[in-house]
Amino acid sequence: MNTEIIKIDPENIDPQALDKACEYIKRGELVAFPTETVYGLGGDAFDPNASRSIYAAKGRPSDNPLIVHIAEISDIYDIGKNIPKTAEILAEAFWPGPMTLIVEKSTSVPYETTGGLDTVAIRLPSHPIAREFIKRSERFIAAPSANTSGRPSPTMASHVIEDLSGRIPCIIDGGRVEIGLESTIIDLTESIPTILRPGAISLKDVAAVTKDARMDPGIGEENPSVRPKAPGMRYRHYAPKGELTIVEGDRDKVIERIIEECQTRTKTGSTSAVIACSESAKEYRDCLVFDIGAKMREEEIAHNLYDTLRKLDEEGIEYIFSESFDSPDMGVAVMNRLLKAAGHRVLRV
Ligand code: AMP
Ligand code: MG
């Protein structure tokens, strides 16, 4: 399949160029497009065949539901039913933006889109291209991240090209995305709003508007016997090809230990690299270091995480050692993704 790449400037959207992409959607075909979180792989949410094509292109397990992207808050009434008041409150507070709400699905949404569930995930993105694209397609757009299943989510068009070129007919290249981590998913079908996947909107942010809110007990490390509620959080995800280990503890000890680990790998003829924050990147003397951004500005680390994981793959690095980037807000989401990428391999020093 030939993949058409349509370049669009998010600050000066060419409606004719965008309409070319919308034509694919109207024909039931797929288009990868930028959102403020990551690139999405979109198709008509009400067309079961479009959803099937999304699963096929990504190699995604068909029980892992898609997120339905909308252009106006009022669209939630077409996608969901028995919408709780909390949905309206959260939508007013955080949409357009990096938040996905889970509600009961309406009969218009096919089970192909929801992975067989009676609930549906809905998001109103803020990215200008995403919003215009949904509007001009005159459809609701079902879209998971536009990566091959199991690879880091794409934060720029080149990542999408790497994974899906030849497998989908069209990619909108709208430059690098802003946030770089997937949306916060909030389940509103439980008695308390429950975060199924942490993202740029934190538990504190949610609790500030809903009073009650909690994290899905299934996504913590504390109790591995509790399954995460979001099907997608159960799969090993975001995995680099090399073996990734997170090294935690006192800063100096972490640096010392990582240097030692890299030296050992070099002696045995293996390649290794370090993921470090800007503040300590220079301290890893002879190691190959990937500076992931300043710890002081946690959103920088989120922005660079997936691109860094992909670069490590490109370099064919066999062993990767990463600092830990825990912090109260964005750090929760960053560490959630990093721990999954590491298959929860953590070394405490
Ligand atoms: P992605 O867009 O690739 O980040 O994938 C969408 C995420 O939303 C996956 O982790 C899904 O498991 C999750 N999701 C979508 N719909 C639902 C739903 N109805 N209930 C729970 N999780 C959902
Ligand atoms: Mg994904």
Side-chain angles (χ1 to χ4, degrees):
M1 182 189 294
N2 193 34
T3 304
E4 183 180 11
I5 308 210
I6 303 179
K7 224 177 154 64
I8 295 181
D9 176 358
E11 265 145 44
N12 183 18
I13 296 175
D14 172 356
Q16 271 176 331
L18 195 56
D19 281 343
K20 269 172 80 188
C22 298
E23 285 307 316
Y24 286 100
I25 296 291
K26 291 178 180 173
R27 285 201 298 271
E29 298 184 81
L30 308 186
V31 176
F33 64 102
T35 81
E36 71 278 22
T37 56
V38 299
Y39 272 75
L41 175 59
D44 179 349
F46 287 175
D47 177 354
N49 286 323
S51 291
R52 281 192 204 105
S53 311
I54 292 175
Y55 289 103
K58 281 180 59 85
R60 181 177 175 106
S62 61
D63 64 347
N64 189 5
L66 312 177
I67 295 173
V68 179
H69 292 73
I70 58 175
E72 303 293 339
I73 290 183
S74 57
D75 293 339
I76 52 175
Y77 302 99
D78 293 319
I79 312 291
K81 68 171 187 201
N82 302 325
I83 308 280
K85 186 80 194 142
T86 343
E88 291 163 12
I89 297 170
L90 285 166
E92 284 300 331
F94 300 116
W95 276 349
M99 173 186 75
T100 297
L101 297 178
I102 310 275
V103 297
E104 284 177 48
K105 83 170 190 70
S106 75
T107 50
S108 320
V109 183
Y111 283 112
E112 281 77 2
T113 299
T114 65
L117 298 176
D118 287 309
T119 54
V120 63
I122 313 177
R123 184 161 97 84
L124 173 55
S126 67
H127 195 293
I129 294 178
R131 296 199 68 185
E132 245 349 83
F133 172 61
I134 302 164
K135 270 189 211 147
R136 298 180 86 91
S137 292
E138 299 168 333
R139 304 284 189 282
F140 302 120
I141 306 286
S145 50
N147 53 309
T148 303
S149 200
R151 293 219 69 203
S153 294
T155 55
M156 46 186 121
S158 62
H159 297 161
V160 184
I161 294 169
E162 229 171 78
D163 284 13
L164 299 177
S165 183
R167 300 179 65 87
I168 58 171
C170 179
I171 298 170
I172 301 177
D173 178 353
R176 196 163 174 172
V177 305
E178 189 193 323
I179 297 173
L181 287 187
E182 305 84 345
S183 58
T184 305
I185 300 180
I186 309 171
D187 183 4
L188 299 179
T189 66
E190 306 246 351
S191 51
I192 306 174
T194 303
I195 296 189
L196 304 188
R197 175 174 73 186
I201 291 169
S202 68
L203 177 62
K204 206 170 64 190
D205 296 334
V206 175
V209 299
T210 62
K211 296 197 185 73
D212 257 347
R214 60 163 193 165
M215 280 287 189
D216 175 8
I219 58 173
E221 295 170 87
E222 306 79 40
N223 194 349
S225 63
V226 184
R227 266 157 65 94
K229 190 168 177 192
M233 300 296 279
R234 294 176 201 145
Y235 295 103
R236 184 165 183 260
H237 234 184
Y238 323 117
K241 290 173 194 144
E243 183 188 283
L244 170 61
T245 306
I246 300 167
V247 185
E248 269 183 4
D250 173 68
R251 180 178 180 272
D252 293 341
K253 290 212 177 91
V254 166
I255 295 172
E256 192 184 322
R257 180 60 182 266
I258 291 182
I259 294 175
E260 253 173 50
E261 292 285 342
C262 289
Q263 283 169 343
T264 308
R265 296 305 182 287
T266 309
K267 276 190 205 132
T268 55
S270 304
T271 51
S272 62
V274 185
I275 303 178
C277 64
S278 310
E279 289 90 339
S280 56
K282 287 197 179 61
E283 309 216 13
Y284 291 93
R285 287 170 277 151
D286 297 329
C287 308
L288 174 61
V289 180
F290 288 77
D291 179 343
I292 195 169
K295 212 168 186 163
M296 290 281 301
R297 292 183 294 275
E298 1 170 27
E299 63 288 352
E300 230 175 75
I301 294 177
H303 182 78
N304 293 326
L305 178 65
Y306 289 144
D307 185 45
T308 303
L309 293 179
R310 280 178 182 263
K311 281 188 182 133
L312 285 157
D313 276 351
E314 267 166 44
E315 301 280 325
I317 306 296
E318 295 163 284
Y319 294 94
I320 308 156
F321 298 93
S322 176
E323 296 176 350
S324 171
F325 307 104
D326 239 335
S327 56
D329 298 321
M330 201 62 173
V332 175
V334 168
M335 286 314 290
N336 170 267
R337 308 308 195 272
L338 196 60
L339 278 161
K340 289 186 88 180
H344 288 265
R345 194 177 301 103
V346 181
L347 205 70
R348 293 199 173 78
V349 293

